[in-house]
Amino acid sequence: MKTIIIWGSWTVLLPAIFGIYRLVKRTGNYEQKWLAIFVLVAAIIEVSNNILIVNFKIPNTLPIVHFYTILEFALIVSIYIKSLKKYIPKNVLIGLIVVFSTFSIFNSIFHENIYQFNTYARALEALLIILLVLFYFGATMISMTERHLEGSPIFWISSGLLLYYSASLFIFIYSNIIFGKTDSSFTLWGLHAIVSIIRYLFFTIALAIWIKPKT
Amino acid sequence: MDQAENVGGLPELLVAGIIGMLILAMAIIVFFVIYQRRMLTQQEEMNRREAEYQKELLKANIQSQEEERKRIASDLHDSVGALLSATKMYLKQIGVGKLGEDLGTIKQESIGLVEETIQNVRQISHNLLPPTLERFGFVAAVEDMAEKINQADSLIFHIDCREPQRFELEKEVGLYRIIQELSNNTIKHAQASNINLSIDFSNDHLEIIYKDDGIGFKMEDKYDPSSRKKGLGLRSLESRATSLDANFEMQSQPGHGLSAKIIMPLNATLSEVGKT
């Protein structure tokens, strides 16, 4: 299980390679560009986290998670701005990012210690992203704009996000309770690592899909 | 109480919850994919049917044009052609040792044939585009048509129209052709005693209701691909209505006659007939 947990965190490097390619070559559609930024940020955070733990012997890097939660939410919502602009105005989604960031900062300062998991912010983030993905699925079903789902990056992104955040919701809520308290926490973080690997594999597919550039 | 004790039994429940949520998420994705595929298949099927229908309409349109050409060709050949041939024969006799009396007869016969030819040409031209239609408009032309049908005494053609108006000639001709086709069908096949035509002009559209009390027919037969030939007349009417941006509906049942409704938007009526 330990191997899976380690793999779970390092799998982000796979989509990150595709992300770097997309950003350097300036190819891909709107969603792929934002996803590339997101996986790159996630990879940098993951690498920094490991360097801090292994090289600098810092035992608790949870403050990074508090900061990353805000960044992660903002980047994921940004992926959907273009696809949902017919249904949700851009300003509403930006407003959602601002409200969530404010809540998350207040939570980190006044409620949950930055050396603990930010369970409220993570759980709220998971719920909001699940709702966003469900909204996207509903809108796509009504509008019938996606003719080939398997060739659409946003379908793979949405599926990866839905699987990851649905499975992780309870882990986020109980992360402070289970963290280091029981042997079974390995099972839980192992499950988290599995869905994380699935998410990053889906993101890799989303980034690898070739979209014909608009002429 | 130690937090670790609170945890007792929680991991198992959590694992079950996580797996449950994962299954639910997968079910949503699978449902989304299947639903999307099904809807796309349905949409493609609808597009295919629409394309097929448009093709049928086009075919009906071409066929009706061909039939019209055949009819004109046959009219010209059988009446005008025959009369002109006869005239030619009379005129050939001039100067072949004919006496003055004979020449007078030939002249009279030739004039008679030419007059008959002129009459026939007028008739053919009238059938193609009635002069009343161009001069006085759709309602007047339909009234003219009704009068001629009524003269035949086989059925009665009633027209109900208040405040007739004129509109674009192209649309007037199109609507006239539809009424002409409907009444031709009634006369030929319906064994009807009455035709009722109601023409109602409103501010922005024209509503026409055509009814006959004939034997009627099964609508399904007209749309049945196996009886495509039978359905061409109906498709031709639909095709004409579509070209006029009009909505055309037809209802019929065996023993209950036929009823057709045409609603056509009026962009701008030219003027009321009374004011022209």
Side-chain angles (χ1 to χ4, degrees):
Chain A
M1 197 54 88
K2 202 176 173 184
T3 322
I4 293 173
I5 294 171
I6 294 164
W7 269 101
S9 57
W10 287 110
T11 322
V12 68
L13 294 177
L14 188 62
I17 294 165
F18 283 88
I20 291 168
Y21 176 81
R22 289 264 173 226
L23 292 174
V24 171
K25 293 279 179 187
R26 291 169 183 259
T27 60
N29 67 4
Y30 177 89
E31 287 83 17
Q32 285 176 315
K33 278 173 197 162
W34 277 104
L35 180 67
I37 297 169
F38 169 55
V39 290
L40 215 60
V41 167
I44 290 167
I45 297 278
E46 198 57 56
V47 171
S48 318
N49 197 33
N50 280 289
I51 291 170
L52 286 174
I53 294 168
V54 177
N55 297 70
F56 294 90
K57 309 288 178 205
I58 292 171
N60 191 330
T61 54
L62 282 174
I64 295 177
V65 175
H66 285 247
F67 165 71
Y68 176 66
T69 306
I70 297 169
L71 209 56
E72 184 182 55
F73 183 76
L75 289 170
I76 289 172
V77 172
S78 301
I79 292 172
Y80 285 91
I81 285 179
K82 198 177 173 190
S83 315
L84 295 180
K85 72 173 177 194
K86 249 173 83 182
Y87 309 95
I88 308 173
K90 186 181 175 181
N91 291 342
V92 174
L93 290 177
I94 291 171
L96 187 69
I97 295 171
V98 172
V99 170
F100 176 76
S101 305
T102 313
F103 168 80
S104 195
I105 291 165
F106 268 81
N107 180 57
S108 299
I109 296 172
F110 300 109
H111 198 72
E112 289 180 309
N113 192 306
I114 55 162
Y115 292 102
Q116 282 185 324
F117 278 103
N118 52 343
T119 56
Y120 292 111
R122 290 293 271 172
L124 180 65
E125 182 202 12
L127 270 176
L128 289 174
I129 290 170
I130 289 169
L131 288 175
L132 196 68
V133 171
L134 291 179
F135 190 89
Y136 159 74
F137 278 165
T140 309
M141 281 199 280
I142 293 165
S143 67
M144 299 289 297
T145 44
E146 295 288 351
R147 293 195 73 79
H148 303 288
L149 285 176
E150 61 278 12
S152 160
I154 198 155
F155 164 71
W156 291 101
I157 299 170
S158 303
S159 302
L161 289 173
L162 187 65
L163 288 171
Y164 174 75
Y165 284 102
S166 301
S168 303
L169 180 66
F170 289 136
I171 299 175
F172 291 154
I173 294 170
Y174 292 103
S175 46
N176 278 330
I177 300 171
I178 58 175
F179 183 66
K181 299 294 182 192
T182 65
D183 291 340
S184 309
S185 71
F186 256 120
T187 317
L188 293 169
W189 290 115
L191 273 173
H192 175 262
I194 290 168
V195 287
S196 191
I197 291 169
I198 295 171
R199 171 177 66 155
Y200 286 130
L201 286 178
F202 277 38
F203 285 178
T204 308
I205 297 170
L207 284 166
I209 290 169
W210 173 251
I211 304 284
K212 204 177 166 187
K214 280 179 188 166
T215 48
Chain B
M1 199 190 287
D2 185 16
Q3 210 171 10
E5 285 173 39
N6 282 338
V7 175
L10 191 59
E12 288 77 16
L13 266 176
L14 267 178
V15 170
I18 291 163
I19 292 170
M21 288 292 279
L22 201 58
I23 291 169
L24 189 65
M26 282 195 282
I28 289 171
I29 294 166
V30 170
F31 168 77
F32 172 64
V33 172
I34 292 173
Y35 178 88
Q36 191 81 351
R37 288 238 166 101
R38 194 173 292 170
M39 291 302 286
L40 273 175
T41 315
Q42 274 180 12
Q43 207 179 41
E44 273 162 16
E45 176 66 13
M46 271 170 65
N47 290 345
R48 196 187 57 77
R49 278 188 195 165
E50 179 63 28
E52 212 168 81
Y53 177 69
Q54 290 299 334
K55 211 169 129 187
E56 285 292 320
L57 278 186
L58 186 68
K59 220 191 261 177
N61 208 352
I62 293 167
Q63 186 137 349
S64 99
Q65 275 180 15
E66 282 304 319
E67 275 170 12
E68 187 72 1
R69 281 178 189 154
K70 258 187 221 165
R71 196 183 59 78
I72 297 164
S74 147
D75 281 357
L76 287 172
H77 179 266
D78 297 349
S79 63
V80 180
L83 286 168
L84 286 174
S85 298
T87 313
K88 188 183 161 190
M89 276 172 62
Y90 274 107
L91 291 173
K92 266 186 176 173
Q93 290 175 22
I94 298 171
V96 194
K98 295 283 176 187
L99 297 174
E101 200 177 311
D102 291 335
L103 283 174
T105 316
I106 291 167
K107 185 188 163 193
Q108 282 308 313
E109 288 293 341
S110 301
I111 288 170
L113 285 168
V114 169
E115 273 173 358
E116 206 177 328
T117 309
I118 292 167
Q119 193 62 35
N120 281 352
V121 169
R122 193 174 287 154
Q123 186 65 40
I124 292 166
S125 155
H126 186 90
N127 285 341
L128 285 175
L129 185 71
T132 324
L133 184 59
E134 208 167 355
R135 274 186 222 152
F136 304 107
F138 164 71
V139 178
V142 171
E143 279 171 348
D144 227 20
M145 185 206 304
E147 206 179 303
K148 274 177 196 146
I149 292 170
N150 287 336
Q151 278 167 8
D153 273 346
S154 56
L155 56 78
I156 303 165
F157 198 138
H158 309 271
I159 296 179
D160 177 23
C161 175
R162 270 161 272 164
E163 297 181 19
Q165 293 171 23
R166 291 213 62 178
F167 42 99
E168 300 100 300
L169 182 64
E170 194 187 316
K171 289 190 170 183
E172 287 189 314
V173 174
L175 278 183
Y176 179 80
R177 295 281 177 239
I178 293 175
I179 303 300
Q180 199 176 31
E181 176 77 25
L182 284 168
S183 54
N184 276 346
N185 285 343
T186 300
I187 294 164
K188 277 187 202 163
H189 312 292
Q191 300 165 29
S193 317
N194 291 284
I195 295 174
N196 286 297
L197 184 73
S198 136
I199 305 168
D200 188 10
F201 286 89
S202 77
N203 287 339
D204 57 351
H205 71 273
L206 164 64
E207 186 177 303
I208 298 172
I209 298 171
Y210 176 99
K211 282 181 182 172
D212 75 32
D213 58 357
I215 53 170
F217 54 86
K218 276 187 189 170
M219 288 298 289
E220 308 90 83
D221 292 348
K222 298 290 171 191
Y223 284 105
D224 182 3
S226 60
S227 62
R228 193 168 284 174
K229 208 176 171 186
K230 272 192 207 169
L232 276 176
L234 175 55
R235 288 192 199 286
S236 155
L237 290 169
E238 282 177 354
S239 162
R240 275 196 197 280
T242 309
S243 71
L244 301 172
D245 297 326
N247 181 273
F248 179 84
E249 281 171 25
M250 196 154 97
Q251 292 296 321
S252 184
Q253 271 180 12
H256 290 90
L258 167 121
S259 158
K261 188 176 180 180
I262 305 156
I263 298 175
M264 188 183 77
L266 291 174
N267 298 330
T269 52
L270 298 181
S271 61
E272 285 186 19
V273 171
K275 292 175 189 167
T276 53

